[in-house]
Amino acid sequence: MTVADIPEVLGSLERARGTGSLRVGEEGAIHIRRGRVTGAESRHAPGAGGHDPELAALLALFDAAYFLLGSDAEPVFTEEPAAAASPGITVATLVHEQRRRRGLLDAAWPDGAVDVAPVEPVRRVRRQRVILTGLQAEILLNADGTRTPAELARDLGRTAFACLLAVRGLAAASLLRTEAPEPEPARTGPPSPGPVPRPELPAEWAPADQDLLTRLRTALVELG
C-alpha cells in the first residue's frame, strides 16, 4: 500500500455510497455514511475540547484526517450501520484541507517527526532574541519531554493542528530538541528536477465544500 491509497479508497467508497468504517492500521479510523465522511479519530489527535459540540466535532475530524490521510498503513473497510445522521463531508474537502495544512507545516519546519514526538525544550537558547506567539509560550511552559503536540493540545484546550504549527515554529527557532537530519549524499550527475507537482483530485470525486473550508479556517484563526 502507498500513501495515496487511503484517499483513493475513500474516493471509491464515495462513488459506491458505502457506509461503514475505514480502519487505517493501528492509527485510527474514518467513518463513512453513504459515501460521505461523518467522523474520524486518530491516536495522534485526541480531539478538541472547549468549543461548541458541532465545531468541536468538525475540528476533531479534520485534525484526525490530517494524520490518517498521510499514513502508509493499510486501510481496511468494514461495512456497518451508520453512527451519525449528519450530511458528512466529501473526500475532496478532506484532501484539500490536508494538503493545505501540510504545506503550512512544511513551510514552518520540513521534518514531520516533531508532529508525533514528545515536545522537549532545549536547555539553552542559542539566540539572544526570540519572539513567541502566545501558544508557543504555553507549549514551552507546559512541555515536559513526555507529551506529544497533540497531547499538549488536549491538555491546553487547543486544536491539534494549532499545536503542530506552533511546535514546528519552535523547532525552526532551535527551541526544541530535534533529531539531526541525515546529510544529503553528494550529487555527481545532472541537477535533480524541481518538486513533483501534486496531482489534481480525480474529476469523478464530489467537489470540495469551499464554504465549509472557509468556516474551518476562520475557526482555526480565531482559536489559534
Side-chain angles (χ1 to χ4, degrees):
M1 288 285 178
T2 64
V3 172
D5 281 338
I6 295 170
E8 289 172 4
V9 170
L10 287 173
S12 298
L13 291 169
E14 183 177 69
R15 293 190 297 276
R17 294 176 62 81
T19 296
S21 294
L22 183 69
R23 180 151 293 281
V24 182
E26 299 298 321
E27 301 292 312
I30 300 171
H31 307 293
I32 304 158
R33 179 176 182 268
R34 297 180 182 175
R36 295 172 74 91
V37 176
T38 58
E41 61 262 355
S42 164
R43 67 186 180 91
H44 296 304
H51 317 296
D52 69 85
E54 182 182 0
L55 181 58
L58 185 65
L59 292 168
L61 191 161
F62 279 95
D63 277 351
Y66 170 76
F67 289 103
L68 296 176
L69 293 180
S71 173
D72 58 2
E74 181 177 358
V76 177
F77 179 67
T78 303
E79 291 187 355
E80 55 189 39
S86 67
I89 296 169
T90 66
V91 178
T93 304
L94 288 185
V95 173
H96 268 287
E97 179 63 11
Q98 191 252 6
R99 288 181 176 181
R100 185 188 78 92
R101 292 184 177 202
R102 175 161 291 177
L104 291 173
L105 292 171
D106 288 346
W109 176 255
D111 185 0
V114 297
D115 293 349
V116 295
V119 180
E120 184 178 358
V122 296
R123 295 183 178 180
R124 291 185 178 181
V125 178
R126 298 177 183 175
R127 299 185 180 183
Q128 293 183 345
R129 183 183 182 189
V130 178
I131 299 176
L132 302 176
T133 66
L135 178 53
Q136 287 175 331
E138 278 189 82
I139 289 173
L140 288 179
L141 287 172
N142 289 274
D144 54 11
T146 65
R147 287 176 291 177
T148 65
E151 290 169 336
L152 284 168
R154 176 199 60 205
D155 295 343
L156 296 174
R158 301 283 192 146
T159 66
F161 175 67
C163 280
L164 290 180
L165 192 57
V167 164
R168 291 226 193 179
L170 291 171
S174 300
L175 296 177
L176 299 181
R177 291 178 60 88
T178 58
E179 294 292 331
E182 295 184 4
E184 295 245 352
R187 300 185 185 276
T188 57
S192 60
V196 178
R198 290 181 294 189
E200 293 294 327
L201 299 182
E204 63 269 23
W205 285 11
D209 186 338
Q210 296 298 333
D211 290 340
L212 177 61
L213 289 173
T214 298
R215 178 187 172 203
L216 173 71
R217 293 165 191 174
T218 299
L220 287 172
V221 170
E222 293 175 348
L223 295 171

